Amino acid sequence: MKAITKIIMSLAAVVLFNGCSSSFLDEIPLDRFSPENFLVDEAGFEAATVALYQAAREEHSTGGANFDYMNLGTDLIEWGRYDSRGFKDYHLLTSQEDAVNKYWSWAYEDMIRQCNLILDKLNDPAIELNEDARHRFEAQAKFFRGYTYNILATLYGGVPIVTEVISEPKFDFQRASKEEVLQFVRQDLEEAGALLPVVGNVSDGRIYKAAAYHTLSEVYLSLGLETNDASYYDLAIDAASKVINKEVGDYRIMTERFGDLARPGDVFSDLFQTDQRSRESGNMEVIWSWQFESFTLGGGTSLNAKGNNSPRLWFPQWEKIRSPNGAFNLSTDSMLRGIGVNSLLNYVKYDIWRLDPNDMRNSPNNIRRVYYYNNPDDPEYFGKPMKTALNNKGEKVLVKNDGSLSDVVLDTLMQYYPWIRKVDGIPFEDNVVAGQSENDFIKMRLAETYLLRAEAYFRKGNLGEAAADINVLRNRAHATPIAPQDVTVDFILDERARELIAEEPRRRTLSRMGLLYERVKKYNPSSGPTVQPHNELWPIPQSVIDANTGAEMIQNPGYN
Amino acid sequence: MEGFCLPPELYTQKSILRQIFMVIKVSYVLLFITCLQLQARTYSQTITMNTKQTSLERVFQAVEQQTGYVILYNYKELQRAKPVTISASNQEITKFLDRLFADQPFTYNIEDKTILVSGGKRVKPKWAKPTVRISPPVEAKQAPLTGSVKDAGGAPIEGVTVTVNGTTTATKTGSDGRYHIDAPPSDGTLVFSMLGYNTVEQTIGNRQTIDIVMIPSVSDLEEVIVVGYGTAQKRDLTGAVARVNLDQNRQQPNINPVQNLRGTVAGVNITDNGRPGSDGTIRIRGANSISASNDPLIVLDGIIYAGGSLSDINSTDIESIDILKDASASAIYGSLAANGVILITTKKGTTEKPRIALNSYVGFSDFAHIPKYLDAEKYLQVRKDAEIADGGAIPFNPLEQANIEAGRTIDPFEEIRQNSPIHSNELSVSGKSKAFTYYLSGAYSGVKSPVMGDNFSRLGARVNLNVKVTDWLSIGTNSGYTAKDNSGVRADLAMTTFLSPYADLYYEDGVPRPLPMNVGQVRSPILNALLSDNLDKTNTLFSNNYLDVKLPLEGLTFRLNTGYTQRNKKVFDYKPTFNRGEFFNLGSGKQAYTESRNLTVENILRYDRTFAEDHAFNLTLMYGAYKSADNKAELSSDNIFNDALGYNALEIGENFNINTDAGEDQQVSTMGRAGYRYKGKYIVDATIRRDGFSAFGKGRKYGLFPSAGVSWVLSEEDFLAGNSYINSLKVRLSWGRNGNRGVSRYSSLSSVAQTNYVFGNGAAPSVGLYTNSMGNPNLGWETTTSTNFGVDFELFSNRVNGSVELYHSNTYNLLLRQRIPNMSGFTTFLRNIGETENRGFEVTLNTVNVQKGSFSWDTRVAFSLNRNKILKLTGNDLDGDGVEDDDIASGWFIGYPLASNFDYVFDGIYQEGDDDFSLLPGSKPGDVKFRDINGDGKITTADRSVVSNSQPNFLAGITNTFSYGQFSLMVMFNIRQGGESANQAINIGRNFYYESNTLDVPYWTAENPINDYPAINYGNPLNYGFYQSRSFVRLQDVSLSYNFSSSLLEKIRIQNLRLFVSGKNLATWTNWTGWDPEFGGGGRGPGGTNNSNGPILKSYTFGLNFQL
């Protein structure tokens, strides 16, 4: 009994003395890293850099319900559906608009923060990295930081410049001027350009020197327009020339067919085959592309089906058309399902091709203008081309085999418009209906470098050189060359549309040139009536203004 | 046990301990020399006695020895007798008894040589002296009368005193609840009385069997309430503690015990989320915290039920549920208790004769309340109006077109319906012997929601054992094992709302169509529910083992309490190959395993003694440590070419993915509580607790949480003595502070997440790492201080009883997840900042409205009102107006409640003819007009204000119970008044209204120019929220039961048989047009985490209770 009592009393004494050693409450995460314990060696910095590439690709799923806000409501396309989203009604472009928030948070939360983390840690003298590795990581982080701020400056104007890791909340951010942001971008990209390696024989989706100089030429153009200092155009020409003259890697405009020659097509369509977007396949034009890979971890974005979403956005909702006998068209491996939101404007459908209808980029290999019934349930029409005519109400209807008009009215905004074939591709993870391909998304192509240099020559007044650069592309497309006196900013924009549609973020091109309002008003029948001059820039997201309680974040003019 | 350490000081201080122990030993000897002298004299009418602190039972024995009188009393009732200190010398027996009973909660009658002690009604001897009745001569003898007494759940009640009113004829019920009275007068009345139950009177008449059901008198001050690390009589409480009236709910088929709390306890708000097997949301006295957890702590059989959910516990295993509402009551649980504590006690064996009980019911369920979407006729009309609004034809989708032509329609909510049976069978065996009590139970219950694939079943077993090893040592276990099965893929409710009445869900051969409307965004709600294979099983073991030691000092006991919870969850999923037309995918599958373990060890030392008759003292000391750890492993693959093996052969696929997680956290606690009671009138209590929690920053891990309370039983005072209206009256005042540790582990550290990218074609994935939260090394405790004032009363012979509580609490150093400018790289930051206030008022009222013959009508009301306000935030005044700034981004406004709706002010609809759209350029007739608050002539962000908030004005639950003979009818209403939530589904135009179904709400047209809803295609440029009141009245519970008479049952040797039918959520009255107003989902989906809410279930059940 006595012994038991002793034991019990000892236990009871535990009540009285809270002397447990404090290590019991120390926290060491078991399954996750901290910034302190992973950014310590080359492998850690590599992992941090990989995350940056993934974040950059996320731009593709950014913006509302992943619609193409970089093209919607521009001079190329209009919202193809009935409601007023997609900048069909520019009154809905407010500081509460989802896309406005998403781009902003993508830039600061996904991109800039990670760049600053890498750059910050590289400055830590305690970290042992060889010079080569240090430069490699610094160059990539600086490239992406400059690249992101350039997007911000183009979309929102002057934004706060954050250059360091912020480890406790800050409420007094202030907007820098647009020029300050562009100068910061220029500095980052120049430093990145100096440090980045030259591309080798493989396309692996990484950033090489050429990507920095390609972007720099655009940034110098913006600086020239922002400051009215024409010397920037020389810098833009120099930067573009580095790429064009192969000073920073072997890039070439493809003039001969390449890859699988058994495929019907031409050299322009060869450029965009799913399996021909890499240097290994002989495509020497691509400077940088987002990587997509079916059925592979990390092979896609955070979208629902994760693939390259372009077919879904750019293709008409062709499957909604039924034959005169009522059989609906089918989505197939070669006709991925579109939802008809990026509905082509007449400007793209017709206007830009009037100059030379035989332009290769307007060939059936590159723009599908004739559709074929593809539902075998209707043998009468299966495999036959769709013929259309206007009925007496002025509606476009299908023509029956016997030549009479059917009652199938075609919705030319959503269901029946030309098909940009550079978006064609192998369905991502075998899913035809999602309308996503496994195409790498080409972000930068040498053709655009020529157009940037042409723009710089044009802005400098050197029309001859401008025409020469443009004609490199026109000659490749077997289109009539242009004479120097015909080069105008509108022509450059037309040529960009012909060459780069579905590749370039048209909104940023127009905003960069200050022509968004004017061109939308002129070419876009649905957005034109509501677009206002202040829509040239997006508003600062209201949630950011509301949270920045320590200093006033001034809204862009025209937005409430 | 690794990680639990004994303090090193313990060993070094052994000698000190021994000294302390010696001192205690000596004190014990000195204090506990009691003198007990009993002088016996045979058959005397006088008594001589001199006793101190002796049990009443021993005094009775002495009286019987001295006088030859026989004293009849209920042993069980005698437990509440107070120790007797009395000195008498040759005192006349009635005088002696008057003195003896003056201090006791009993009354007595003398007839011949029998003294009958009864305690059914608490009679205050001081104002209502017991009368000595002489019974009238017994008339002609009648046939014997028998019957049984049971509780509302059908369990026999042992020890009920059955008296023929006005006579000395009395008996007691046995362990089977049965009684027998010889020759009662037919014009007499039987009185059934028992401590803790309402007294029942029945006229005898010609009956030979009288069975009754006794209802516990809930507010009875003698009731023993669980208060944490011990129990207390309700009369001794100083804080706000509520006991759930379970008997009222026993007739309800509540598979999940949470349902017992819904609308029945003032101040406890349960939000049912409609999912079978889910706990829903439990809030005690509103939400204190903004970003940290607001969930109450659950304590099962005295030990923290870490890692367990209420739905793991079988309803019928529960003996009692007590709720600690205010800080002084809950401070004993310190850091875990900021949001209140729910204490659950499971059943123990109580009778020597083994009891076998079966509780069984079957039924079915239906939707209680679903949002109303357009029917076929209205759908076509809306489409026409949309065409007018949009100025052009909007063709139907091909599938719709075909169905319109063929005249085929569907009701989307019928399409996702499945058979929805409810069944439950629960069997228990319990009993006790001298050294052993046992309660064993097994139960199998299942509910299927009418929503396809939403299934829940539970197999549970419980073992509660207590062994008295020696007279000073007992050991025991309260352990349960539960296997829950949630297998099935639930139909997608958001997608269901998109379906038009002309959607086509199946191909001709019955295979579900992936896109039933030809619209990519409207996926089939049932495809996965029908085709995918899902297994979702959770097994939980909760084992609480304890050791009780009576230490060699009277009143001093030690308990070692250990609790271990292990939860294993498996979620397997297989989506088979689908190949139909343009839709093609190969199979893909997943297996996920989660294991979580929680270990709690507590050492509890208790001292409970009464000195010198009037001074009762108790002390509790506790030292404990907790540890919880989780592991998770997830495997998946896709492109599985053959479905035959499903999720059991993921390796035949491609694209293998592995994800593993692990984590742990720890807490240590020390607690002391002291209480003092003087004459049972004045009560003082104090608690102090110190907790340390691992998830807080270095140097911020510990918090100190004190509390104190006083109460005064006014009805024990002379000035209320003799008041025949007030049976008891008590006031309480308490204050306490406790902390909220409701942040997840590793919250103070910045975390790093993983991602992948593939460089080049056909390459292996590369691993990417990025930071995804901003760490806060200063993260510390959120603290709540609260004051509670309460009044408990019993009036008019206990016809009316209840309590009123007034409270005020302040929470400061709030754990706030503040919205920060995301230029820093993060959207939110978790920090300690600001202060909120809750004030509230709660009334619990139980009344016996009618009690006449065999008819009775009782009413119970639980009313609560809580007002919440933010007092302080960052403390910044950056605009320099002398008033602290609101945090608009986070949605916090000083002086306004949490969950405020901050928005533009709705000011009607622009009508045809209005031509001034300068306020908001781009507006047109049919658009919403907003109020220009600052009068600057345009609508800007400065015109936003707090327009409403989503918290209710008050909540009330009203239960009426009607009993007539063997029948009993219970009807319960649950009421919520006020509180608005956004219901954006009202704004049809925002969400492709032209090719999907929409909420059936009015909309503006030129022909129907209403002023409260916008046009059908309104684009909502400012993202206005469209707020609606969530007030509702719900007929929540109705049950009708019938108790078979015991005379019938006796023949077949059954103790109890009761049949019942009951209905749940039978009707809901509300103007809210979204999902259920109870949880308030206002979008396409029903809300909750990942739209996990579901329609609340209306159910009908039929069942029986049976007892051997």
Side-chain angles (χ1 to χ4, degrees), chain A residues 176-241:
Chain A
S177 73
K178 185 174 176 184
E179 193 199 334
E180 284 165 345
V181 179
L182 288 171
Q183 292 292 5
F184 180 75
V185 170
R186 169 199 177 170
Q187 192 189 333
D188 263 355
L189 291 178
E190 283 174 351
E191 288 172 21
L195 293 173
L196 280 165
V198 171
V199 71
N201 292 326
V202 294
S203 300
D204 54 6
R206 291 225 177 228
I207 294 297
Y208 297 96
K209 264 188 164 42
Y213 289 106
H214 174 97
T215 314
L216 261 175
S217 72
E218 183 193 307
V219 173
Y220 290 132
L221 279 169
S222 297
L223 274 166
L225 286 168
E226 188 67 21
T227 59
N228 287 320
D229 177 351
S231 69
Y232 284 110
Y233 303 131
D234 291 323
L235 290 171
I237 292 164
D238 288 349
S241 298

Side-chain angles (χ1 to χ4, degrees), chain A residues 1 4-6 8-21 24-36 38 46-48 50-51 53-54 57 81-83 85 91-92 94-96 104-105 108-109 113-114 117 160 162 166-171 173 203-206 278 289-293 295-299 304 317 319-320 322 328-331 337 414-415 429-433 440 542-544 546-550 553 560, chain B residues 3-10 13 17-18 21 390 393-395 397-398 401 472 515 518-520 549 551 558 582-584 603 605 621-623 626 638-639 655 657 661-664 666-668 670 690 692-695 701-702 745-746 748-750 752 755-762 765-771 774-775 818-827 829 831 878 888-889 904 921-922 939-941 944 992-995 1019-1023:
Chain A
M1 175 71 193
I4 294 167
T5 310
K6 265 186 189 169
I8 290 163
M9 286 313 295
S10 329
L11 285 168
V14 178
V15 177
L16 303 167
F17 304 100
N18 184 3
C20 210
S21 62
F24 182 59
L25 295 183
D26 284 353
E27 258 194 326
I28 300 151
L30 303 175
D31 65 340
R32 61 196 82 179
F33 291 103
S34 70
E36 291 72 33
F38 94 86
E46 174 59 20
V50 169
Y53 281 89
Q54 185 271 339
R57 185 180 57 191
R81 298 170 84 90
Y82 303 98
D83 58 77
R85 290 175 294 173
H91 289 123
L92 299 183
T94 66
S95 60
Q96 275 107 326
W104 182 281
S105 55
Y108 281 107
E109 295 182 35
R113 180 192 67 209
Q114 183 79 355
L117 177 69
V162 180
I166 294 179
S167 53
E168 49 189 82
K170 181 171 149 66
F171 296 91
F173 289 97
S203 300
D204 54 6
R206 291 225 177 228
S278 64
S289 59
W290 292 331
Q291 304 289 296
F292 286 94
E293 193 88 6
F295 297 117
T296 307
L297 191 65
N304 265 346
Q317 198 155 16
E319 50 150 24
K320 282 201 178 179
R322 50 182 176 157
F328 286 97
N329 290 321
L330 302 172
S331 297
R337 181 173 170 277
M414 188 165 80
Q415 298 168 5
E429 302 195 342
D430 295 341
N431 187 339
V432 173
V433 184
D440 291 346
Q542 192 58 42
S543 60
V544 169
D546 287 343
N548 199 57
T549 51
M553 174 81 58
N560 295 328
Chain B
F4 286 97
C5 54
L6 285 174
E9 299 93 303
L10 187 64
Q13 295 180 354
L17 280 176
R18 195 170 293 130
F21 184 51
D390 278 344
I394 302 176
N397 293 304
Q401 187 62 46
W472 55 271
L515 298 181
N518 301 118
V519 178
V549 182
L551 293 173
F558 169 76
E582 52 202 5
F583 303 98
F584 173 69
N603 298 278
L605 192 65
L621 300 172
M622 190 281 299
Y623 175 81
Y626 314 84
D638 48 31
N639 269 354
N655 196 16
N657 196 358
D661 293 311
E664 57 187 26
Q666 301 87 18
Q667 175 166 335
V668 286
T670 323
R690 183 167 183 259
F693 180 46
S694 58
K701 293 184 192 288
Y702 283 92
R745 56 177 71 124
Y746 313 137
S748 66
L749 310 172
S750 56
V752 171
T755 183
N756 294 94
Y757 196 77
V758 183
F759 290 104
N761 294 325
S766 300
V767 173
L769 294 172
Y770 62 99
T771 49
M774 193 187 279
Q818 187 180 18
R819 292 271 314 197
I820 56 174
N822 62 2
M823 290 77 91
S824 59
F826 302 98
T827 324
F829 179 68
R831 66 194 316 187
L878 296 156
I888 295 173
Y904 299 90
I939 298 298
T940 66
T941 51
R944 295 173 298 170
F992 62 115
Y993 54 95
Y994 50 85
E995 56 182 4
N1020 201 1
L1022 300 180
N1023 260 328

